[in-house]
């Protein structure tokens, strides 16, 4: 066969529309590592029966196609536990690299965070309230500050069981009461400078935060040992009725003696006299006096006033003044038959008024 004069027809490559020999009609071109290059390959078949490659297939380059996207291939190249807050917190940071040589981000790296408490245990403190108290200054006085205590309850934390505090100025929750402390004492004395037996202890509020800071108060304590009571203590030791040669005067006498051995007047006495005729009845002559009264058998008796006629003479009348008038003559008469002196009472111009007992 003379192929040089009549050469074999070249292949007649036609795009296939169906799969041939199990080959896909179209496919994406892959390069190094089996990654898409972004180019589309179209299946072709040789339809020239006189060609040496009749019915053979091949793929042609159909160009860049969205059907063959170039995707980044992020693969983990490193990892570590997140310690951005200074301690592991349960999260792991993955370092990834784009291994696709055809990707726009080829060979670049990125990080991704996942929760992995197994390999990266959460060591962040978990502060929980434990208790609170009111703060004192260096001298032991409350200063209005409220202290709240928190405990780390995370066993994976490096500060596990440690405490931390927050402090707030809260005068209502943490008031500062007065703190009265002893400063001095002295013995109480009366107006005469004599010990009463009481010791006075002086206390002063030493709390500089208290509203009564610097104020004082006195505490009275009976302390006869350190403050012996040397004031006189007069007690009654005797009593009697005052008398004269005529008998009781009606006065009751009480004798008082100072019985305090610490007193400068110890053993001295004084008397107190009180008129008490019930306790010390005096003779009738001391108490029976006044018009119409007379002691009869030691009893003060008020007599009967009787008329004994009248007399006309010069004298004083409370109605008419001085002149000559009738005067009634009266005498008091008592149960023992005795009579008193005449008593003249003016009856003015009417002498008959006098003849009746009054």
């Amino acid at each position: 066969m003379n192929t040089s004069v009549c050469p074999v027809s070249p292949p007649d490559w036609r795009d296939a529309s169906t799969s041939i020999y199990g080959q896909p009609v179209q496919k994406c071109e892959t390069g190094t590592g089996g990654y898409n290059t972004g180019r589309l390959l179209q299946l072709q078949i040789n339809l020239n029966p006189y060609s040496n490659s009749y019915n053979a297939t091949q793929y042609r380059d159909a160009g860049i196609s969205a059907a063959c996207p170039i995707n980044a291939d992020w693969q983990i190249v490193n990892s570590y536990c997140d310690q951005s807050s200074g301690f592991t917190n349960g999260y792991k940071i993955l370092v990834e690299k784009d291994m696709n040589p055809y990707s726009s981000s080829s060979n670049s790296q990125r990080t991704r965070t996942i929760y992995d408490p197994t390999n990266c245990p959460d060591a962040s403190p978990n502060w929980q309230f434990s208790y609170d108290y009111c703060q004192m200054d260096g001298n032991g006085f409350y200063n209005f500050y409220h202290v709240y205590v928190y405990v780390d309850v995370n066993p994976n934390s490096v500060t596990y069981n440690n405490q931390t505090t927050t402090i707030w100025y809260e005068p209502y929750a943490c008031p500062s009461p007065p703190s009265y402390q002893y400063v001095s004492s002295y013995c109480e004395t009366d107006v005469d400078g004599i010990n009463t037996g009481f010791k006075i202890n002086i206390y002063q509020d030493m709390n500089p935060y208290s509203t009564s800071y610097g104020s004082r108060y006195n505490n009275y304590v009976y302390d006869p040992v350190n403050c012996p009571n040397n004031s006189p203590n007069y007690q009654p030791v005797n009593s009697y009725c005052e008398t004269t040669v005529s008998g009781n005067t009606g006065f009751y006498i009480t004798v008082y003696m100072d019985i305090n051995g610490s007193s400068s007047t110890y053993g001295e006495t004084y008397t107190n006299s009180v008129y008490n005729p019930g306790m010390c009845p005096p003779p009738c002559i001391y108490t029976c006096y006044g018009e119409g009264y007379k002691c009869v058998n030691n009893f003060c008796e008020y007599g009967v006033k009787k008329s004994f006629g009248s007399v006309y003479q010069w004298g004083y009348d409370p109605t008419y003044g001085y002149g000559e008038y009738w005067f009634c003559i009266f005498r008091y008469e008592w149960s023992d038959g005795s009579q008193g002196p005449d008593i003249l009472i003016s009856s003015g111009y009417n002498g008959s008024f006098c003849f009746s007992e009054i």
Side-chain angles (χ1 to χ4, degrees):
M1 179 179 294
N2 187 352
T3 58
S4 60
V5 177
C6 296
V8 178
S9 298
D12 182 11
W13 298 104
R14 303 291 179 90
D15 290 345
S17 58
T18 60
S19 174
I20 301 174
Y21 310 130
Q23 301 175 89
V25 176
Q26 292 181 334
K27 67 177 181 179
C28 294
E29 181 185 55
T30 57
T32 302
Y35 296 105
N36 285 345
T37 63
R39 309 189 73 82
L40 181 66
L41 299 180
Q42 174 64 47
L43 179 61
Q44 291 184 318
I45 186 170
N46 182 9
L47 297 180
N48 185 356
Y50 303 102
S51 168
N52 292 333
S53 58
Y54 175 59
N55 279 334
T57 59
Q58 68 172 19
Y59 281 96
R60 69 173 178 85
D61 185 357
I64 301 297
S65 173
C68 297
I70 300 176
N71 297 320
D73 181 16
W74 298 105
Q75 296 186 26
I76 298 173
V77 295
N78 193 14
S79 65
Y80 55 89
C81 294
D82 182 14
Q83 296 188 32
S84 58
S85 57
F87 38 76
T88 58
N89 54 17
Y91 288 89
K92 179 189 288 186
I93 298 177
L94 304 178
V95 181
E96 298 177 325
K97 182 178 181 180
D98 185 1
M99 297 298 190
N100 187 349
Y102 304 101
S103 169
S104 59
S105 58
S106 178
N107 287 324
S108 64
Q109 291 185 348
R110 70 177 185 182
T111 58
R112 180 164 58 90
T113 302
I114 63 171
Y115 184 63
D116 186 0
T118 301
N119 295 303
C120 296
D122 185 359
S124 59
N126 182 8
W127 300 108
Q128 297 294 322
F129 173 76
S130 179
Y131 63 94
D132 64 325
Y133 62 90
C134 293
Q135 188 182 67
M136 290 183 174
D137 65 9
N139 295 317
F141 299 115
Y142 291 108
N143 57 9
F144 305 121
Y145 283 95
H146 200 172
V147 180
Y148 297 87
V149 181
Y150 299 84
V151 177
D152 182 7
V153 297
N154 182 4
N156 296 316
S157 169
V158 294
T159 58
Y160 176 57
N161 278 337
N162 286 3
Q163 294 182 344
T164 187
T165 59
T166 59
I167 302 177
W168 296 91
Y169 182 74
E170 295 178 341
Y172 293 104
C174 292
S176 192
S179 177
Y180 285 97
Q181 299 181 22
Y182 171 83
V183 291
S184 63
S185 63
Y186 60 92
C187 294
E188 183 188 52
T189 58
D190 60 17
V191 293
D192 297 320
I194 300 174
N195 285 346
T196 64
F198 283 88
K199 182 169 70 173
I200 299 178
N201 297 315
I202 302 175
Y203 292 85
Q204 181 172 322
D205 183 6
M206 299 299 188
N207 183 1
Y209 308 98
S210 168
T211 56
S212 58
Y213 175 58
S215 64
R216 294 186 174 191
Y217 78 87
N218 296 337
N219 179 28
Y220 289 78
V221 179
Y222 186 65
D223 187 359
V225 175
N226 295 302
C227 296
N229 182 357
N230 51 14
S231 60
N233 182 10
Y234 286 96
Q235 297 295 325
V237 294
N238 192 17
S239 61
Y240 56 89
C241 292
E242 183 184 56
T243 61
T244 66
V245 293
S246 300
N248 289 338
T249 63
F251 284 90
Y252 186 73
I253 307 298
T254 303
V255 180
Y256 292 87
M257 176 184 289
D258 182 6
I259 62 173
N260 184 3
S262 300
S263 170
S264 60
T265 58
Y266 175 64
E268 294 184 7
T269 61
Y270 76 90
T271 58
N272 182 45
S273 177
V274 177
Y275 184 70
N276 189 343
M279 288 286 292
C280 300
C284 182
I285 59 174
Y286 287 106
T287 58
C288 193
Y289 51 85
E291 182 180 317
Y293 290 95
K294 179 184 177 180
C295 283
V296 178
N297 297 323
N298 205 30
F299 178 78
C300 188
E301 180 180 306
Y302 183 71
V304 179
K305 193 176 184 181
K306 293 183 176 182
S307 174
F308 287 88
S310 61
V311 61
Y312 188 77
Q313 65 181 29
W314 174 269
Y316 177 77
D317 183 89
T319 303
Y320 305 107
Y322 286 98
E324 290 186 347
Y325 308 104
W326 286 100
F327 287 87
C328 300
I329 301 173
F330 295 96
R331 298 190 197 102
Y332 284 98
E333 187 176 277
W334 291 276
S335 61
D336 62 352
S338 62
Q339 293 182 346
D342 290 347
I343 300 174
L344 298 180
I345 299 176
S346 173
S347 63
Y349 298 105
N350 185 3
S352 63
F353 170 74
C354 300
F355 294 99
S356 61
E357 291 186 354
I358 57 176

